[in-house]
């Protein structure tokens, strides 16, 4: 028998290899300030949770900035640069948070 709660439960989405590499990049470089998952606050109040970035702008537009080096963001954000494949992976991961 399926209860009302069971009928609405969603299976957690499994990340593909591309998205998983992006998650590792986020965990390695961003988690000390940003919330990188589907829930919880960012460790640094000024750092937007990654799940909210798509509400500010299309995350696919971040590719160039990630490859050239992001120098803006919250006041204490360090400058870092990703190679094009890393930027694509991180964007793929960010897009999973839009769903």
């Amino acid at each position: 028998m399926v209860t009302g709660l069971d009928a609405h439960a969603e299976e957690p989405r499994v990340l593909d290899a591309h998205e998983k590499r992006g998650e590792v990049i986020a965990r390695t470089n961003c988690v000390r300030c940003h919330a990188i998952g589907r829930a919880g606050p960012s460790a640094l109040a000024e750092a937007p949770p990654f799940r909210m970035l798509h509400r500010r702008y299309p995350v696919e537009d971040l590719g160039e900035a990630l490859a050239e080096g992001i120098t803006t963001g919250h006041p204490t954000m360090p400058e870092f640069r990703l190679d094009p494949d890393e930027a694509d992976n991180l964007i793929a991961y960010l897009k999973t948070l839009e769903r």
Side-chain angles (χ1 to χ4, degrees):
M1 180 173 149
V2 177
T3 66
L5 291 176
D6 294 336
H8 297 290
E10 279 188 36
E11 290 293 318
R13 185 178 177 284
V14 176
L15 301 178
D16 67 24
H18 188 56
E19 296 160 346
K20 188 67 175 165
R21 286 190 296 271
E23 181 185 32
V24 169
I25 290 167
R27 196 165 303 289
T28 302
N29 295 291
C30 312
V31 75
R32 66 185 146 255
C33 296
H34 296 270
I36 64 166
R38 295 191 172 280
S42 292
L44 184 65
E46 299 86 36
F50 279 7
R51 66 185 173 276
M52 305 302 265
L53 292 179
H54 73 279
R55 293 182 181 180
R56 295 178 175 209
Y57 40 80
V59 295
E60 55 272 356
D61 290 353
L62 291 174
E64 187 176 340
L66 291 168
E68 291 181 2
I70 291 182
T71 56
T72 60
H74 53 83
T76 58
M77 184 166 168
E79 181 178 348
F80 68 95
R81 194 171 282 164
L82 301 176
D83 70 39
D85 287 338
E86 291 172 324
D88 288 345
N89 291 333
L90 181 56
I91 289 168
Y93 175 67
L94 292 175
K95 291 191 75 58
T96 69
L97 299 174
E98 295 177 11
R99 303 178 201 138

